[in-house]
Amino acid sequence: MVDSLLRVTDLKTRFHTPEGIVHAVNGISFHLNEGETVAVVGESGCGKSVSMLSLLRLIPTPPGEIYSGTAIYRNDDLLKKSEQEMEDVRGREISMIFQDPMTSLNPVLTIGRQLTESLRLHLGMTQEQAEQRAISLLEQVGIPDPSRRLGDFPHQFSGGMRQRVMIAMALSCAPSLLIADEPTTALDVTIQAQIVELVARLRESLHMAIIWITHDLGVVAGMADRVIVMYAGYIVEEADVDDLYDIPSHPYTLALLAALPRVDRRRDQRLKSIPGAPPNLLVEPHGCPFAPRCEFVIEQCLAENPPLMSVGKNHASACWVAVKTGLPR
């Protein structure tokens, strides 16, 4: 039996604003096994990043509030740890790559200073040891002439190189879990492919688990073991990666896949868009949050929000309708 590295149960995160309470994450539950890669997908604002920032206790409080839930990492609940204990976990046990490397790196500190800080803090290295480790890390992520570049500042690196530096920083203490928050969003397609390939190669060599957050289902097909699909702060589908592409079981997943460009698509066949707009998160939904945009909607969808229900081996969907037949489950 595969050991579970992380098990999250009923996680809810809210933000208190002048307009009201934003229900950002609404009771999600999932698990991550040792060495596994799980992709979390969904459109912007669906709660992907907020849910992972909640696990690391990086939600600004106030206005944010982790309202309920547990996040059991190696038999300890991350949500019950003190701030001092979390400082020991962040970077050492769990690392995160953020979306924009230009705003994540300190513009007035050299790359070497930023890389060596966590090595001295978490691993107790001397300055000389930390610098040698930093050079090795930069070499590992494909930055040429790493010893010279330790003295450079972030603005002296390209966007792709800055993202490689962020990956080196995240991997500096050999964490068991890496959370990558849309690390390729701001990069062109060629650099995206290089970063995805780099992370996949590092995962194999370091035997770490990865949570890869993205809005692009096309990116995760070749790298994820499982996929979690989120919508309006809920998990609406969870499946092994092959099953998700072969037999999607939630209307939202179907719509996301239909919007992907395909090489076998006819020239006269247009990409599909999802009608309507995401729901207002200031209002907690009573029915299915996707119902106003769904082509399979039935009366039960408007009255009751479906739970995740098993539709196959390691495959669950939160839908009252079997999308293959269009009939109620």
Side-chain angles (χ1 to χ4, degrees):
M1 183 176 176
V2 180
D3 291 331
S4 181
L5 177 69
L6 174 70
R7 186 168 294 275
V8 177
T9 306
D10 194 34
L11 177 65
K12 294 181 181 178
T13 302
R14 298 174 178 177
F15 290 90
H16 299 269
T17 71
E19 291 77 25
I21 297 174
V22 176
H23 299 83
V25 180
N26 297 306
I28 66 169
S29 299
F30 66 93
H31 73 279
L32 178 72
N33 296 325
E34 297 270 5
E36 184 181 32
T37 298
V38 170
V40 182
V41 303
E43 60 195 292
S44 297
C46 72
K48 307 183 301 293
S49 299
V50 171
S51 58
M52 300 309 152
L53 289 170
S54 298
L55 300 184
L56 288 176
R57 306 265 297 284
L58 293 174
I59 295 294
T61 308
E65 175 193 14
I66 300 173
Y67 184 74
S68 70
T70 59
I72 307 300
Y73 173 80
R74 297 200 188 282
N75 300 319
D76 287 327
D77 189 353
L78 296 175
L79 304 186
K80 286 187 169 58
K81 285 182 175 289
S82 67
E83 179 57 29
Q84 181 62 53
E85 289 172 325
M86 284 305 300
E87 287 180 5
D88 293 335
V89 170
R90 298 187 200 113
R92 180 67 186 92
E93 292 287 333
I94 305 174
S95 283
M96 188 163 185
I97 305 171
F98 297 94
Q99 282 190 37
D100 186 352
M102 197 62 228
T103 57
S104 300
L105 292 168
N106 191 321
V108 300
L109 297 180
T110 64
I111 294 299
R113 169 76 182 275
Q114 296 182 65
L115 263 172
T116 57
E117 184 177 18
S118 62
L119 293 168
R120 289 186 287 110
L121 177 67
H122 290 297
L123 302 183
M125 289 185 175
T126 64
Q127 183 63 30
E128 185 179 353
Q129 290 172 329
E131 285 182 1
Q132 288 303 311
R133 170 71 172 153
I135 291 169
S136 174
L137 287 163
L138 291 181
E139 190 173 25
Q140 199 173 3
V141 298
I143 291 182
D145 198 6
S147 57
R148 180 181 65 81
R149 305 228 61 181
L150 278 184
D152 288 347
F153 291 87
H155 72 270
Q156 295 174 277
F157 288 73
S158 67
M161 287 296 184
R162 285 196 295 267
Q163 197 59 283
R164 289 171 185 267
V165 170
M166 287 296 299
I167 293 170
M169 289 176 67
L171 300 180
S172 60
C173 297
S176 300
L177 169 58
L178 175 68
I179 300 174
D181 187 3
E182 303 200 37
T184 61
T185 297
L187 308 175
D188 64 53
V189 176
T190 305
I191 304 300
Q192 279 187 22
Q194 292 176 5
I195 295 298
V196 170
E197 183 182 353
L198 171 64
V199 173
R201 177 165 51 82
L202 292 172
R203 180 191 78 156
E204 293 301 319
S205 61
L206 299 175
H207 306 292
M208 64 184 173
I210 296 175
I211 296 176
W212 187 281
I213 304 169
T214 183
H215 61 269
D216 186 356
L217 271 168
V219 169
V220 302
M223 67 174 300
D225 300 307
R226 283 189 298 121
V227 182
I228 292 170
V229 183
M230 289 190 67
Y231 184 79
Y234 294 91
I235 292 177
V236 295
E237 186 162 5
E238 182 178 357
D240 292 339
V241 65
D242 291 337
D243 285 349
L244 191 92
Y245 285 86
D246 292 341
I247 44 173
S249 297
H250 193 278
Y252 181 56
T253 311
L254 280 174
L256 288 177
L257 290 170
L260 280 178
R262 295 173 59 101
V263 294
D264 59 351
R265 193 185 298 273
R266 299 196 315 269
R267 287 190 175 185
D268 61 345
Q269 192 174 0
R270 295 178 63 86
L271 289 174
K272 289 187 178 180
S273 60
I274 304 175
N280 182 0
L281 296 180
L282 289 169
V283 181
E284 194 169 10
H286 297 293
C288 173
F290 191 63
R293 309 173 74 184
C294 182
E295 60 180 297
F296 298 94
V297 65
I298 58 175
E299 191 172 333
Q300 188 177 9
C301 303
L302 303 174
E304 190 178 358
N305 192 2
L308 274 173
M309 296 173 280
S310 176
V311 294
K313 184 181 179 182
N314 301 324
H315 195 164
S317 173
C319 186
W320 296 120
V321 176
V323 295
K324 194 171 184 180
T325 63
L327 299 174
R329 291 193 190 279

